[in-house]
Amino acid sequence: MATPLWELVNICKAFPGVRANDGISIRLNAGEIHALLGENGCGKSTLIKILSGVHSPDTGEIRLNGRPITLGSPIDARSKGVATVFQEFSLAPTLTVAENIFLGRYPRRGPLVDWAKMRSEAARVLTSLEIAIDPARLVGSLSVAEQQLVEIAKAISVDATLLILDEPTTALGEHEIAVLHRLLRRMKNRGVAVLYISHRLDEVVELVDTATILKEGRVASTADATRLDIPSIVTAMIGASVEEHYPKVRNATDEVLIAVSNLRSARGARGASFSVRKGEVFGLGGVIGSGRTEIARALFGADPASGDIRIEGRPVRIRNPRDAIAAGLALVPENRKFDGLFFNFHGGPNITSAALGAIRRLFLLDKRGERRITSDFIQDLEISPAAAHKCVNLLSGGNQQKIVIARWLFAGSRVLILDEPTQGIDIGAKIAVYRLVNELTARGCAVILISSDHSELIAMSDRIGIVRNGAVVETLPASQVTHAHLVQASASADGAATAA
Ligand SMILES: Nc1ncnc2c1ncn2[C@@H]1O[C@H](COP(=O)(O)OP(=O)(O)OP(=O)(O)O)[C@@H](O)[C@H]1O
Ligand SMILES: [Mg+2]
């Protein structure tokens, strides 16, 4: 076998109580896109942090062109040709897009920073990614999707022989993903080795040349043995085949639970009208920037909004999230890492926080009540039992998502708005979330589902409203909606944030 460009040999890395990487060997060839796959917590990010100089391995070797090499720090790794897009964003919000892209290596002219060159170089990198963002904008003012694109721009602006992307597409829509794929193919043709992590398997099989699947810190299936189709990958990942990717149960009734008309907010809801029935999943489809999240926030009172909202025919006034919760609404936000969970607490307080009144005894929290409620939810929603005592940041993404949903059920919510509920979680956890959606609709809840994963949106919704410019422009039974339809209907949006 020819010597690979980069090679990991027998890498081990333990954290207290867990062998995150337990003897992993991978060969990364020039001009090849290599997927690194596996369930939440199987050790993918740990491995790429070792390759990026963030962690040093306990044992094992990294080789470049067959020779052992040490990567002492992220800067050292970068200078040796490794560029990484980390799963957690690493941008500085108070700096501009251009400054972030060139952080730590500002172009100079003599002793001075060459600002003009920095701006023009940044503009060039952004253009190659078909990103319409002004390099002079502050990163803190960008949307999550735009920040993700800037992260990618930052990584590809370095001359790298190894480009690593750890879930670069969780916040991106289909259009941005297609642009990224084109770019990665160009890098590959230039002889770069690309290591790619994603939980969106349809995207992976379309893009990559080869794959390594990890399970509990070890290689479960090697590149050569992995057939690049979704069923084989899933079998290697979870050790069992999956009968049904989308276990949709239809529970929709004819009774309207919530009717929204002419919902408007300064932030981007522009006259949205729709209604959702008891037991129904109403999908909101549209490109990034079409206004789906803004509609959700306006409905939940998270942004000041106007419009007519009726629950079971009765008008309700929602001025803030407290009003929304009292009216039976819940919002599971797009990025649970930013505003969904209290990461340093275990599952209990996370579940009961939205309705503390229910477990308050006189002025004290009823700890025993909290424990009982937590264990009931753990059972009902099939949450990992560890949630009762482990901090949520140590739980898998799927379990975190279930805890957020459990919280709202506990608060008595009947209308649940789920904004990208399966973003970044593994296939097993996704199916668990789908089952949970079935459970919600079986209880008569109305679910408003926002998802950029078109297959998921079509499969799990009963009806889909197509969103353009902050309004629902068309509503169809999900069975009549196709991928092409979703792309076309919303891509004609003049308000799309990243139109090329
Ligand atoms: N800094 C750390 N300290 C302690 N434990 C850690 C640390 N980083 C990771 N772990 C643990 O190591 C294991 C592997 O985590 P890792 O982040 O590599 O998983 P992953 O495959 O990237 O998961 P995901 O798909 O959810 O991103 C997990 O059990 C995690 O809790
Ligand atoms: Mg990870």
mmCIF file of all heavy atoms in Angstrom, residues 15-16 18 20-21 38-47 49 55 87 166-167 199 393-394 396-397 424 426, ligand 1:
data_model
loop_
_atom_site.group_PDB
_atom_site.id
_atom_site.type_symbol
_atom_site.label_atom_id
_atom_site.label_comp_id
_atom_site.label_asym_id
_atom_site.label_seq_id
_atom_site.Cartn_x
_atom_site.Cartn_y
_atom_site.Cartn_z
ATOM 1 N N PHE A 15 -10.359 10.372 28.989
ATOM 2 C CA PHE A 15 -10.763 11.418 29.920
ATOM 3 C C PHE A 15 -11.241 10.698 31.174
ATOM 4 O O PHE A 15 -11.547 9.512 31.114
ATOM 5 C CB PHE A 15 -11.903 12.258 29.328
ATOM 6 C CG PHE A 15 -11.512 13.028 28.104
ATOM 7 C CD1 PHE A 15 -12.045 12.700 26.866
ATOM 8 C CD2 PHE A 15 -10.606 14.076 28.189
ATOM 9 C CE1 PHE A 15 -11.688 13.405 25.728
ATOM 10 C CE2 PHE A 15 -10.242 14.790 27.051
ATOM 11 C CZ PHE A 15 -10.779 14.443 25.825
ATOM 12 N N PRO A 16 -11.343 11.409 32.299
ATOM 13 C CA PRO A 16 -11.797 10.727 33.517
ATOM 14 C C PRO A 16 -13.063 9.915 33.245
ATOM 15 O O PRO A 16 -14.068 10.462 32.815
ATOM 16 C CB PRO A 16 -12.077 11.877 34.482
ATOM 17 C CG PRO A 16 -11.183 12.984 34.011
ATOM 18 C CD PRO A 16 -11.066 12.827 32.523
ATOM 19 N N VAL A 18 -13.770 7.802 30.857
ATOM 20 C CA VAL A 18 -14.127 7.383 29.488
ATOM 21 C C VAL A 18 -12.900 7.283 28.589
ATOM 22 O O VAL A 18 -12.022 8.147 28.616
ATOM 23 C CB VAL A 18 -15.212 8.324 28.876
ATOM 24 C CG1 VAL A 18 -14.809 9.757 29.029
ATOM 25 C CG2 VAL A 18 -15.474 8.011 27.408
ATOM 26 N N ALA A 20 -12.109 7.857 25.327
ATOM 27 C CA ALA A 20 -12.721 8.516 24.171
ATOM 28 C C ALA A 20 -12.169 7.961 22.859
ATOM 29 O O ALA A 20 -12.901 7.751 21.898
ATOM 30 C CB ALA A 20 -12.504 10.022 24.257
ATOM 31 N N ASN A 21 -10.851 7.732 22.810
ATOM 32 C CA ASN A 21 -10.227 7.091 21.650
ATOM 33 C C ASN A 21 -9.440 5.906 22.181
ATOM 34 O O ASN A 21 -8.610 6.047 23.066
ATOM 35 C CB ASN A 21 -9.276 8.042 20.920
ATOM 36 C CG ASN A 21 -9.992 9.151 20.135
ATOM 37 O OD1 ASN A 21 -9.366 10.039 19.596
ATOM 38 N ND2 ASN A 21 -11.318 9.089 20.088
ATOM 39 N N GLY A 38 -20.164 8.017 13.308
ATOM 40 C CA GLY A 38 -20.445 7.280 14.538
ATOM 41 C C GLY A 38 -21.413 8.043 15.414
ATOM 42 O O GLY A 38 -21.652 9.229 15.221
ATOM 43 N N GLU A 39 -21.953 7.335 16.405
ATOM 44 C CA GLU A 39 -22.961 7.930 17.285
ATOM 45 C C GLU A 39 -22.401 9.082 18.098
ATOM 46 O O GLU A 39 -21.189 9.203 18.251
ATOM 47 C CB GLU A 39 -23.501 6.861 18.237
ATOM 48 C CG GLU A 39 -24.255 5.759 17.526
ATOM 49 C CD GLU A 39 -24.649 4.644 18.487
ATOM 50 O OE1 GLU A 39 -23.798 3.820 18.835
ATOM 51 O OE2 GLU A 39 -25.813 4.611 18.891
ATOM 52 N N ASN A 40 -23.286 9.856 18.699
ATOM 53 C CA ASN A 40 -22.860 10.933 19.600
ATOM 54 C C ASN A 40 -21.992 10.336 20.702
ATOM 55 O O ASN A 40 -22.345 9.326 21.303
ATOM 56 C CB ASN A 40 -24.069 11.613 20.256
ATOM 57 C CG ASN A 40 -24.929 12.383 19.265
ATOM 58 O OD1 ASN A 40 -26.095 12.084 19.071
ATOM 59 N ND2 ASN A 40 -24.349 13.375 18.627
ATOM 60 N N GLY A 41 -20.855 10.950 20.938
ATOM 61 C CA GLY A 41 -19.997 10.504 22.035
ATOM 62 C C GLY A 41 -19.057 9.357 21.689
ATOM 63 O O GLY A 41 -18.383 8.828 22.564
ATOM 64 N N CYS A 42 -18.963 8.967 20.414
ATOM 65 C CA CYS A 42 -18.115 7.821 20.080
ATOM 66 C C CYS A 42 -16.649 8.226 19.936
ATOM 67 O O CYS A 42 -15.779 7.372 19.774
ATOM 68 C CB CYS A 42 -18.598 7.137 18.812
ATOM 69 S SG CYS A 42 -18.324 8.132 17.342
ATOM 70 N N GLY A 43 -16.342 9.516 19.965
ATOM 71 C CA GLY A 43 -14.939 9.926 19.962
ATOM 72 C C GLY A 43 -14.466 10.671 18.729
ATOM 73 O O GLY A 43 -13.267 10.913 18.561
ATOM 74 N N LYS A 44 -15.374 11.105 17.868
ATOM 75 C CA LYS A 44 -14.980 11.783 16.630
ATOM 76 C C LYS A 44 -14.275 13.109 16.904
ATOM 77 O O LYS A 44 -13.176 13.361 16.400
ATOM 78 C CB LYS A 44 -16.222 12.045 15.744
ATOM 79 C CG LYS A 44 -17.009 10.803 15.397
ATOM 80 C CD LYS A 44 -18.236 11.125 14.556
ATOM 81 C CE LYS A 44 -19.276 11.966 15.261
ATOM 82 N NZ LYS A 44 -19.962 11.311 16.391
ATOM 83 N N SER A 45 -14.929 13.954 17.704
ATOM 84 C CA SER A 45 -14.335 15.271 17.946
ATOM 85 C C SER A 45 -13.014 15.149 18.695
ATOM 86 O O SER A 45 -12.085 15.929 18.462
ATOM 87 C CB SER A 45 -15.303 16.162 18.725
ATOM 88 O OG SER A 45 -16.437 16.444 17.939
ATOM 89 N N THR A 46 -12.938 14.184 19.608
ATOM 90 C CA THR A 46 -11.686 13.984 20.333
ATOM 91 C C THR A 46 -10.559 13.680 19.341
ATOM 92 O O THR A 46 -9.462 14.240 19.425
ATOM 93 C CB THR A 46 -11.844 12.815 21.334
ATOM 94 O OG1 THR A 46 -12.922 13.123 22.212
ATOM 95 C CG2 THR A 46 -10.572 12.589 22.122
ATOM 96 N N LEU A 47 -10.845 12.811 18.391
ATOM 97 C CA LEU A 47 -9.822 12.434 17.416
ATOM 98 C C LEU A 47 -9.387 13.626 16.570
ATOM 99 O O LEU A 47 -8.194 13.835 16.344
ATOM 100 C CB LEU A 47 -10.353 11.314 16.512
ATOM 101 C CG LEU A 47 -9.291 10.648 15.647
ATOM 102 C CD1 LEU A 47 -8.369 9.789 16.517
ATOM 103 C CD2 LEU A 47 -9.921 9.783 14.560
ATOM 104 N N LYS A 49 -9.540 16.686 17.431
ATOM 105 C CA LYS A 49 -8.801 17.625 18.272
ATOM 106 C C LYS A 49 -7.353 17.164 18.432
ATOM 107 O O LYS A 49 -6.446 17.984 18.566
ATOM 108 C CB LYS A 49 -9.484 17.781 19.635
ATOM 109 C CG LYS A 49 -10.721 18.666 19.545
ATOM 110 C CD LYS A 49 -11.415 18.836 20.871
ATOM 111 C CE LYS A 49 -12.706 19.624 20.685
ATOM 112 N NZ LYS A 49 -13.626 19.424 21.807
ATOM 113 N N HIS A 55 -5.648 18.482 21.669
ATOM 114 C CA HIS A 55 -5.291 17.473 22.678
ATOM 115 C C HIS A 55 -4.033 16.760 22.192
ATOM 116 O O HIS A 55 -3.848 16.589 20.987
ATOM 117 C CB HIS A 55 -6.365 16.381 22.781
ATOM 118 C CG HIS A 55 -7.681 16.847 23.297
ATOM 119 N ND1 HIS A 55 -7.807 17.733 24.335
ATOM 120 C CD2 HIS A 55 -8.948 16.507 22.934
ATOM 121 C CE1 HIS A 55 -9.097 17.924 24.574
ATOM 122 N NE2 HIS A 55 -9.809 17.208 23.732
ATOM 123 N N GLN A 87 -16.385 21.795 15.782
ATOM 124 C CA GLN A 87 -17.819 21.653 16.013
ATOM 125 C C GLN A 87 -18.352 22.851 16.803
ATOM 126 O O GLN A 87 -19.401 23.396 16.486
ATOM 127 C CB GLN A 87 -18.054 20.350 16.783
ATOM 128 C CG GLN A 87 -19.495 19.956 16.933
ATOM 129 C CD GLN A 87 -19.626 18.543 17.520
ATOM 130 O OE1 GLN A 87 -18.647 17.945 17.963
ATOM 131 N NE2 GLN A 87 -20.820 18.024 17.512
ATOM 132 N N ASP A 166 -15.669 19.384 11.284
ATOM 133 C CA ASP A 166 -16.448 18.660 12.285
ATOM 134 C C ASP A 166 -17.871 19.208 12.281
ATOM 135 O O ASP A 166 -18.152 20.271 12.828
ATOM 136 C CB ASP A 166 -15.797 18.828 13.669
ATOM 137 C CG ASP A 166 -16.371 17.851 14.704
ATOM 138 O OD1 ASP A 166 -17.360 17.157 14.389
ATOM 139 O OD2 ASP A 166 -15.830 17.797 15.824
ATOM 140 N N GLU A 167 -18.752 18.494 11.624
ATOM 141 C CA GLU A 167 -20.155 18.909 11.482
ATOM 142 C C GLU A 167 -20.304 20.338 10.975
ATOM 143 O O GLU A 167 -20.892 21.185 11.653
ATOM 144 C CB GLU A 167 -20.876 18.746 12.816
ATOM 145 C CG GLU A 167 -20.938 17.298 13.212
ATOM 146 C CD GLU A 167 -22.038 17.047 14.214
ATOM 147 O OE1 GLU A 167 -23.114 17.622 14.049
ATOM 148 O OE2 GLU A 167 -21.788 16.282 15.137
ATOM 149 N N HIS A 199 -23.628 14.154 10.764
ATOM 150 C CA HIS A 199 -24.680 13.194 11.107
ATOM 151 C C HIS A 199 -25.739 13.129 10.022
ATOM 152 O O HIS A 199 -26.722 12.427 10.157
ATOM 153 C CB HIS A 199 -25.332 13.558 12.443
ATOM 154 C CG HIS A 199 -24.464 13.261 13.620
ATOM 155 N ND1 HIS A 199 -24.116 11.986 13.980
ATOM 156 C CD2 HIS A 199 -23.846 14.066 14.505
ATOM 157 C CE1 HIS A 199 -23.334 12.022 15.043
ATOM 158 N NE2 HIS A 199 -23.147 13.283 15.377
ATOM 159 N N ASN A 393 -24.253 18.405 29.930
ATOM 160 C CA ASN A 393 -23.234 18.550 28.886
ATOM 161 C C ASN A 393 -22.468 17.250 28.648
ATOM 162 O O ASN A 393 -21.789 17.115 27.648
ATOM 163 C CB ASN A 393 -22.272 19.714 29.183
ATOM 164 C CG ASN A 393 -21.609 19.564 30.523
ATOM 165 O OD1 ASN A 393 -22.025 18.754 31.340
ATOM 166 N ND2 ASN A 393 -20.576 20.335 30.755
ATOM 167 N N LEU A 394 -22.600 16.274 29.544
ATOM 168 C CA LEU A 394 -21.937 14.993 29.326
ATOM 169 C C LEU A 394 -22.865 13.964 28.686
ATOM 170 O O LEU A 394 -22.462 12.852 28.403
ATOM 171 C CB LEU A 394 -21.390 14.444 30.654
ATOM 172 C CG LEU A 394 -20.305 15.314 31.305
ATOM 173 C CD1 LEU A 394 -19.882 14.736 32.634
ATOM 174 C CD2 LEU A 394 -19.097 15.450 30.376
ATOM 175 N N SER A 396 -25.458 12.518 25.609
ATOM 176 C CA SER A 396 -25.426 12.584 24.145
ATOM 177 C C SER A 396 -26.427 13.631 23.661
ATOM 178 O O SER A 396 -27.364 14.004 24.372
ATOM 179 C CB SER A 396 -25.767 11.233 23.548
ATOM 180 O OG SER A 396 -27.154 11.028 23.596
ATOM 181 N N GLY A 397 -26.209 14.080 22.430
ATOM 182 C CA GLY A 397 -27.060 15.113 21.857
ATOM 183 C C GLY A 397 -28.535 14.727 21.855
ATOM 184 O O GLY A 397 -29.410 15.556 22.108
ATOM 185 N N GLY A 424 -27.412 17.870 14.465
ATOM 186 C CA GLY A 424 -26.221 17.432 15.195
ATOM 187 C C GLY A 424 -26.389 16.183 16.034
ATOM 188 O O GLY A 424 -25.505 15.850 16.806
ATOM 189 N N ASP A 426 -27.136 11.922 16.386
ATOM 190 C CA ASP A 426 -26.888 10.752 15.547
ATOM 191 C C ASP A 426 -28.193 10.076 15.143
ATOM 192 O O ASP A 426 -29.265 10.390 15.646
ATOM 193 C CB ASP A 426 -25.912 9.788 16.234
ATOM 194 C CG ASP A 426 -26.492 9.143 17.479
ATOM 195 O OD1 ASP A 426 -27.614 8.594 17.416
ATOM 196 O OD2 ASP A 426 -25.823 9.190 18.518
HETATM 197 N N1 LIG B 1 -12.691 17.521 27.560
HETATM 198 C C1 LIG B 1 -13.351 16.423 27.934
HETATM 199 N N2 LIG B 1 -13.390 16.043 29.229
HETATM 200 C C2 LIG B 1 -14.049 14.932 29.614
HETATM 201 N N3 LIG B 1 -14.710 14.102 28.776
HETATM 202 C C3 LIG B 1 -14.705 14.429 27.479
HETATM 203 C C4 LIG B 1 -14.033 15.603 26.984
HETATM 204 N N4 LIG B 1 -14.211 15.674 25.649
HETATM 205 C C5 LIG B 1 -14.951 14.605 25.317
HETATM 206 N N5 LIG B 1 -15.246 13.845 26.410
HETATM 207 C C6 LIG B 1 -15.992 12.570 26.415
HETATM 208 O O1 LIG B 1 -15.355 11.730 25.462
HETATM 209 C C7 LIG B 1 -16.329 10.976 24.730
HETATM 210 C C8 LIG B 1 -16.163 11.270 23.244
HETATM 211 O O2 LIG B 1 -16.583 12.612 22.990
HETATM 212 P P1 LIG B 1 -16.485 13.286 21.554
HETATM 213 O O3 LIG B 1 -16.799 14.714 21.738
HETATM 214 O O4 LIG B 1 -15.195 12.941 20.930
HETATM 215 O O5 LIG B 1 -17.688 12.562 20.780
HETATM 216 P P2 LIG B 1 -18.250 12.817 19.299
HETATM 217 O O6 LIG B 1 -18.132 11.523 18.580
HETATM 218 O O7 LIG B 1 -17.629 14.005 18.701
HETATM 219 O O8 LIG B 1 -19.825 13.082 19.596
HETATM 220 P P3 LIG B 1 -20.891 14.063 18.816
HETATM 221 O O9 LIG B 1 -21.389 13.309 17.633
HETATM 222 O O10 LIG B 1 -21.994 14.221 19.848
HETATM 223 O O11 LIG B 1 -20.203 15.343 18.491
HETATM 224 C C9 LIG B 1 -17.673 11.359 25.314
HETATM 225 O O12 LIG B 1 -18.016 10.411 26.295
HETATM 226 C C10 LIG B 1 -17.421 12.718 25.940
HETATM 227 O O13 LIG B 1 -18.325 12.951 27.013
#
